[in-house]
């Protein structure tokens, strides 16, 4: 099968290669999925799990990509809950070969059914950004109706879902980003927008929840805006930054079938609008990831036409 692999940790996106690899086999509780579309997060090349297995052994050449939509083609020993021919979407294990390939073997529990009226490209755009937003807002941030949320990068893949889910939950949302992203963030439902390059973040006063996707100085300044009892949620990296009288949660998103189903249902009934940027075929994926062009929204690789 065709797959995009990396072998050199120092090479960046230039080290990505489209190669032939053996088709994967389904282990216990696995399914094999024929991938129709796959998402990709640029920072994946920096994650230790891209390069090493859970015992910290080199696992290169590793196949990139951890979110997908496709069709189940095989079941492993003991696998229940999904069947051959079923349309699915989900989030694959960080430490295993991924989804930028024609086939992937992954645990069935990390997938949810993809309804027949949802396109594979849309399905592949949802798992990482959708689950990250859901878990950050509702599990870790314990968001309640009437609270305020500072949604950083509100025009980006995660931030646009944060903005939409928080609004639906009855929160007041202040989106942030670059000047060019103002209208896009407002269109996703932000009540107001802070241009981080030209406006003063501190002018917003206090918020109950900061959803950080940027880190660094922006994260520090945002922590100072968290009201008593509020939360700074960050998905950038582990951090020591704390609000004066609140909580910090840094986390890595987990697969969750029930949450995936909640997210896709919102897409079907129009409560959640996918944020898809460039869509490329697998043959062009390496060039797409190496392009210096700004890629707004989720880049989706269409593995099968
Ligand atoms: N821990 C987890 O489980 C998890 C899960 C998902 C994502 N993440 C992380 O979350 C981050 C965002 O992911 P994503 O997929 O949402 O990326 P994305 O689509 O690129 O969104 C990030 C948005 O923030 C904007 N932004 C970044 N730095 C900015 C700055 N200094 N000033 C103004 N705007 C800025 C970006 O604009 P530009 O494009 O112009 O920079 C973009 O619109 C990444 O670091 C990713 O690794 C972590």
């Amino acid at each position: 099968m065709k797959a995009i692999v990396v072998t050199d940790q120092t090479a960046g996106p230039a080290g990505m290669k489209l190669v032939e690899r053996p088709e994967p086999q389904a282990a216990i509780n696995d399914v094999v999925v024929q991938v129709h579309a796959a998402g990709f997060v640029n920072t994946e090349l920096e994650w230790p799990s891209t390069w090493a297995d859970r015992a910290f052994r080199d696992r290169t050449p590793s196949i990139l990509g951890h979110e997908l939509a496709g069709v189940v083609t095989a079941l492993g020993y003991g696998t229940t809950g999904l069947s051959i021919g079923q349309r699915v979407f989900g989030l694959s294990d960080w430490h295993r070969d991924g989804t930028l390939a024609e086939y992937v073997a992954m645990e069935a529990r990390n997938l949810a059914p993809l309804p027949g009226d949802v396109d594979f490209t849309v399905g592949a755009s949802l798992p990482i950004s959708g689950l990250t937003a859901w878990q950050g807002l509702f599990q870790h941030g314990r968001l309640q109706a009437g609270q305020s949320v500072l949604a950083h990068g509100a025009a980006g893949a995660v931030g646009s879902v944060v903005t939409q889910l928080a609004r639906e939950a009855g929160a007041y949302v202040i989106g942030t980003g670059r000047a060019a992203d103002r209208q896009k963030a407002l269109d996703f439902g932000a009540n107001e927008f802070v241009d981080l390059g030209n406006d003063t973040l501190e002018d917003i006063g206090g918020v109950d929840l900061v959803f950080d996707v940027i880190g660094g100085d922006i994260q520090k300044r945002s922590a100072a805006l968290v009201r008593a009892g509020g939360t700074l949620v960050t998905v950038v990296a582990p951090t020591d930054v704390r609000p004066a009288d609140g909580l910090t949660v840094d986390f890595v998103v987990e697969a969750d079938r029930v949450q995936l189903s909640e997210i896709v249902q919102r897409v079907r009934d129009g409560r959640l609008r996918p944020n898809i940027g460039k869509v490329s075929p697998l043959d062009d994926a390496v060039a797409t990831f190496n392009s210096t062009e700004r890629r707004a929204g989720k880049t989706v690789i269409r593995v099968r036409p």
Side-chain angles (χ1 to χ4, degrees):
M1 67 169 186
K2 285 186 198 170
I4 294 182
V5 298
V6 283
T7 48
D8 178 357
Q9 207 164 343
T10 61
M16 292 182 176
K17 285 194 184 74
L18 182 64
V19 298
E20 280 292 325
R21 288 288 297 271
E23 282 182 26
Q25 303 294 312
I28 290 175
N29 297 140
D30 270 356
V31 292
V32 172
V33 182
Q34 182 181 50
V35 180
H36 283 241
F40 182 70
V41 178
N42 293 331
T43 50
E44 198 178 311
L45 295 174
E46 295 156 28
W47 306 341
S49 55
T50 298
W51 306 100
D53 67 13
R54 289 179 188 277
F56 305 104
R57 288 174 303 227
D58 180 9
R59 71 176 192 86
T60 58
S62 39
I63 300 177
L64 295 170
H66 291 285
E67 52 189 342
L68 84 160
V71 173
V72 175
T73 56
L75 304 178
Y77 181 86
T79 302
T80 61
L82 296 175
S83 46
I84 290 174
Q86 189 165 6
R87 299 171 98 246
V88 290
F89 75 123
L91 176 65
S92 73
D93 190 310
W94 307 118
H95 291 84
R96 290 178 73 177
D97 274 340
T99 59
L100 286 174
E102 290 179 289
Y103 294 89
V104 60
M106 57 187 283
E107 286 185 88
R109 63 179 173 175
N110 295 341
L111 292 158
L114 181 69
D117 56 0
V118 180
D119 185 78
F120 288 116
T121 300
V122 171
S125 76
L126 299 173
I128 292 184
S129 48
L131 290 170
T132 303
W134 187 284
Q135 291 164 20
L137 287 172
F138 304 129
Q139 284 177 231
H140 306 303
R142 296 155 296 132
L143 181 67
Q144 303 291 321
Q147 291 188 326
S148 53
V149 176
L150 179 60
H152 282 305
V158 174
S160 59
V161 187
V162 169
T163 300
Q164 294 180 83
L165 291 179
R167 278 302 305 275
E168 187 204 341
Y172 184 88
V173 178
I174 303 158
T176 81
R178 308 206 189 264
D181 289 329
R182 177 182 297 274
Q183 196 52 50
K184 193 171 174 193
L186 296 174
D187 290 346
F188 279 119
N191 297 88
E192 52 182 287
F193 181 80
V194 176
D195 163 2
L196 291 172
N198 296 298
D199 301 336
T200 305
L201 185 58
E202 286 68 19
D203 286 348
I204 65 169
V207 291
D208 299 297
L209 173 57
V210 172
F211 202 120
D212 171 42
V213 300
I214 297 176
D217 185 50
I218 299 286
Q219 181 190 81
K220 252 190 223 144
R221 289 167 55 201
S222 304
L225 301 173
V226 173
R227 290 193 185 117
T231 311
L232 165 69
V233 169
T234 180
V235 293
V236 179
T239 182
D240 294 329
V241 172
R242 303 267 177 276
D245 186 10
L247 199 66
T248 294
V249 181
D250 57 63
F251 76 101
V252 174
V253 61
E254 293 180 280
D256 188 300
R257 184 177 289 171
V258 173
Q259 292 171 6
L260 283 169
S261 299
E262 290 279 354
I263 290 161
V264 79
Q265 185 51 38
R266 280 165 173 73
V267 171
R268 294 176 82 200
D269 62 28
R271 282 177 289 166
L272 186 66
R273 189 157 55 83
N275 183 8
I276 298 170
K278 193 168 173 59
V279 180
S280 291
L282 187 60
D283 286 346
D284 297 345
V286 170
T288 297
F289 296 133
N290 275 285
S291 159
T292 51
E293 197 180 292
R294 187 177 184 228
R295 292 196 303 273
K298 187 73 159 178
T299 301
V300 176
I301 301 306
R302 198 63 209 207
V303 177
R304 287 179 74 79

